Amino acid sequence: MSSTRTAPSAPHRQNSGTPHSGIPTYLSLVDGKSVPGPEWVYVVDAGALLDDAFASLSLKRRLESGRPPAGDLPPSIVGRVAKADRETSARALEAASRAAPQWAALPQETRIGRFGALLHRRLREQAGEITRILVQEGHPLALARWQVSGMLECFGPESTGFYRDQMLQEFRHGARSISVRRRPDGVVCLNPPQNAPLSSALLGVTSVMAGNALVVRAPRSAPLGVMYVMHDVVAPVLEEVGAPPGTLGVLCGDPAPLLTQWLESPLVDDVMYFGSSSNGLRFQERCVAAGKKPILELAGNDVVVVWKDADLDLAAEALTESFYGSGQLCMIPNQVLAHPDVADELVALLARKAAHVRPGHPGEEDVLLTPVLRNEKFFDCLADALGKGAELVCGGHAMQADGTRDSAGIFLEPTVVLVRGMERAREVRAVRHETFFPLLPVVAAGPGPDEVLLDRFVDFVNSNAYGLRNSVWARDPGVVDRFVTRITRGGLLKVNDSHIGFLPYLPTHGGTGLTGGVFGEANYPILRTSHVQGVSVSPGSRPREAVFGAWQALQDAAR
């Protein structure tokens, strides 16, 4: 696989009449080759959008319609990506179908051990560049670093060792060698979300370790990071370990036609889909009808439980993660259930800490809030909560990048509302559903014996229609054990820890209910895109003994 990033004089350059001006340019990656497309998608620096959104978006529209300005492109244009047509997409699927059985035939140590180690090293080497591109696409610097840390954990030695153990277990039974192994499904297609496409695409790369071929769609809204990490990081590593061309395909295009093509193609086995719960569950039905395995990453509505003996300062600090990225991340805290003895103190601490979560340009060190371009749903959701008796603790206004309150501002203040009582808490929309805004409801439970409250807290968490991740803050080992053994919803449960921090072995995504659909569980793509097979190898057993041997042994023991 050769690198598919093109320089201004590269032979793949499309005759579009648009000047290169030295900007990073990516074509589709199909069968190990760069393939041009009929159109370009241009990427505008997120900082320039904050400074002058109208001018930046107008320039982007002119460029994509084939009307370039005179002279060189301004520095606000940070890259361009070829948009793939249907024929290019079909070729990518054909190449993946050819490559998958060849790649799967290579030893597991090559696909998991060597590939994982080399990819981890290259991600470490390119961490600064990946971070820079994420910031260009609008991720605050701190959250860009957070995403990179997750990528490194996903392919770190502890995690790859866990993947290796899960993919193959071997036993002896008499003269027989017995193994339980996972086999690749074949061709996996991945449709990442617009809010975190780069890290989501990398998550899907673990499906390649299982022996699958992978085709990734880079979203038009933020294609540069996906293209960079796939072309300049993943593809060279696959080439180094001897993967056949076609093991990785990368395209930029509109989601609807590509998803339809994947469902219609007999070459596709699995589809990884990121999106809203309503859209994802409908897509799940289409997958099943088409005979494809749906692997869904949908909305989250995570619960954080704060018990009466919790370290409230640390718990409040973890709860501010709800506001990271202005709440537009699926794995942040979305609702809090607090013990009545500490609810008011917790809310006061949380309000003080939330005041330090600030907006600004994504490249600034301490910025954690991102723009919310359409905020009317935030104010509707807040009005719903207040209309149903919730108390506004802090926030509730739009603001400018410098933190000044302004009804026309494109940032939102971190907002906390207090909901008193569990009985009708889910009548509040912000409690019942994910909001995707910096709006955190704290549900203060009513008084009662701790034994009763423990049961009610567990029931509250388990009755959440979503099931991405949950966390608990408590010190009493008996209380912790009660929560750990009885909370069954979700793909991840953390105790006395960051809600969003990454750890080896543990999944970053995946869950039950409206988060993962009917087939939802913790999402290790290497496992979700493979299937279990049992294998027995005998040097030559007598068949009749194999069939009736256990029964005969039982009779002999009875005598």
Side-chain angles (χ1 to χ4, degrees):
M1 292 184 184
S2 59
S3 174
T4 54
R5 181 174 178 175
T6 66
S9 58
H12 312 300
R13 180 183 173 187
Q14 300 178 55
N15 185 20
S16 63
T18 304
H20 265 257
S21 301
I23 63 173
T25 297
Y26 289 94
L27 307 182
S28 299
L29 174 61
V30 177
D31 207 13
K33 302 179 182 64
S34 299
V35 177
E39 302 175 41
W40 291 111
V41 174
Y42 284 82
V43 181
V44 180
D45 181 78
L49 281 170
L50 276 181
D51 293 333
D52 192 340
F54 178 78
S56 297
L57 292 175
S58 296
L59 174 59
K60 174 180 168 68
R61 283 192 290 269
R62 288 201 305 273
L63 288 169
E64 292 179 352
S65 63
R67 297 179 291 115
D72 291 338
L73 295 178
S76 60
I77 302 297
V78 295
R80 69 174 184 170
V81 171
K83 184 181 176 185
D85 56 19
R86 184 176 177 85
E87 179 185 355
T88 300
S89 175
R91 289 171 57 191
L93 297 180
E94 292 165 2
S97 182
R98 290 192 300 270
Q102 301 174 47
W103 172 240
L106 292 179
Q108 178 175 290
E109 181 53 37
T110 298
R111 291 185 281 105
I112 300 178
R114 188 158 176 251
F115 173 66
L118 290 173
L119 183 56
H120 185 258
R121 185 179 72 187
R122 191 162 179 90
L123 286 170
R124 289 184 61 186
E125 293 169 351
Q126 300 301 318
E129 181 65 7
I130 294 171
T131 301
R132 186 185 68 82
I133 293 173
L134 285 169
V135 170
Q136 285 182 332
E137 290 189 328
H139 301 266
L141 180 59
L143 295 185
R145 292 168 176 163
W146 166 69
Q147 289 186 64
V148 171
S149 71
M151 301 171 200
L152 292 172
E153 290 290 5
C154 184
F155 295 99
E158 298 95 341
S159 294
T160 53
F162 169 75
Y163 303 152
R164 189 186 295 111
D165 292 342
Q166 293 295 305
M167 293 298 289
L168 175 63
Q169 297 186 52
E170 296 178 297
F171 313 92
R172 295 292 302 182
H173 183 72
R176 296 178 181 85
S177 298
I178 292 178
S179 61
V180 178
R181 58 187 67 208
R182 300 192 70 92
R183 298 295 198 185
D185 290 341
V187 174
V188 178
C189 294
L190 188 150
N191 181 59
Q194 297 185 49
N195 64 320
L198 190 161
S199 56
S200 301
L202 262 177
L203 173 70
V205 169
T206 65
S207 67
V208 175
M209 290 176 159
N212 298 295
L214 177 67
V215 177
V216 179
R217 182 191 80 87
R220 290 190 60 179
S221 58
L224 191 59
V226 173
M227 286 292 182
Y228 171 77
V229 79
M230 293 295 155
H231 290 199
D232 291 0
V233 178
V234 180
V237 174
L238 283 171
E239 182 176 31
E240 185 171 348
V241 300
T247 303
L248 176 67
V250 191
L251 313 162
C252 178
D254 297 318
L258 275 178
L259 289 170
T260 297
Q261 187 176 21
W262 292 348
L263 292 179
E264 292 175 347
S265 172
L267 305 177
V268 175
D269 297 284
D270 301 351
V271 181
M272 291 187 65
Y273 176 92
F274 294 71
S276 69
S277 293
S278 56
N279 290 339
L281 294 179
R282 286 194 294 269
F283 184 72
Q284 175 179 253
E285 294 178 2
R286 295 175 63 194
C287 280
V288 173
K292 316 298 181 189
K293 181 193 288 186
I295 302 170
L296 305 182
E297 285 297 337
L298 310 178
N301 191 22
D302 297 5
V303 182
V304 179
V305 170
V306 181
W307 196 245
K308 68 177 184 180
D309 63 345
D311 185 321
L312 295 185
D313 187 68
L314 291 180
E317 181 180 325
L319 291 178
T320 63
E321 296 169 359
S322 174
F323 309 121
Y324 290 8
S326 293
Q328 297 178 103
L329 301 169
C330 67
M331 59 181 66
I332 58 170
N334 290 105
Q335 53 184 305
V336 186
L337 179 57
H339 193 285
D341 290 359
V342 297
D344 289 332
E345 184 181 354
L346 175 68
V347 164
L349 276 169
L350 176 57
R352 289 200 292 271
K353 292 180 183 294
H356 298 288
V357 181
R358 70 180 195 81
H361 279 63
E364 297 174 17
E365 278 286 342
D366 298 327
V367 166
L368 286 168
L369 296 175
T370 52
V372 180
L373 299 181
R374 297 187 62 186
N375 61 26
E376 63 273 9
K377 291 183 179 179
F378 165 82
F379 290 107
D380 287 345
C381 196
L382 178 58
D384 172 81
L386 299 180
K388 290 172 180 170
E391 305 165 24
L392 179 63
V393 176
C394 63
H397 295 84
M399 58 181 171
Q400 296 289 354
D402 62 1
T404 303
R405 284 183 172 177
D406 183 345
S407 60
I410 59 172
F411 291 90
L412 294 170
E413 292 177 336
T415 302
V416 177
V417 296
L418 178 60
V419 180
R420 295 198 180 272
M422 299 170 60
E423 292 75 13
R424 304 182 66 181
R426 287 209 172 106
E427 293 180 7
V428 176
R429 193 188 314 161
V431 177
R432 187 170 67 254
H433 295 302
E434 178 188 50
T435 62
F436 231 54
F437 297 115
L439 172 60
L440 180 63
V442 178
V443 178
D450 283 348
E451 275 298 311
V452 174
L453 287 176
L454 268 173
D455 287 341
R456 295 181 66 200
F457 275 37
V458 168
D459 290 344
F460 186 89
V461 175
N462 283 337
S463 61
N464 181 15
Y466 299 82
L468 182 56
R469 55 175 64 185
N470 300 296
S471 57
V472 171
W473 286 86
R475 288 170 166 158
D476 184 323
V479 171
V480 170
D481 182 69
R482 188 86 156 264
F483 283 122
V484 168
T485 56
R486 294 186 56 193
I487 291 177
T488 57
R489 299 288 284 182
L492 184 65
L493 174 62
K494 301 182 78 175
V495 179
N496 298 327
D497 206 347
S498 161
H499 192 81
I500 67 171
F502 298 106
L503 293 170
Y505 312 111
L506 296 183
T508 60
H509 290 70
T512 54
L514 295 180
T515 291
V518 174
F519 310 103
E521 61 178 318
N523 191 355
Y524 299 90
I526 188 173
L527 304 181
R528 298 286 303 280
T529 60
S530 59
H531 51 275
V532 176
Q533 182 185 60
V535 177
S536 171
V537 178
S538 170
S541 301
R542 187 172 296 278
R544 189 171 183 82
E545 291 180 1
V547 173
F548 299 109
W551 172 258
Q552 188 60 52
L554 182 64
Q555 298 304 304
D556 293 343
R559 287 196 294 267

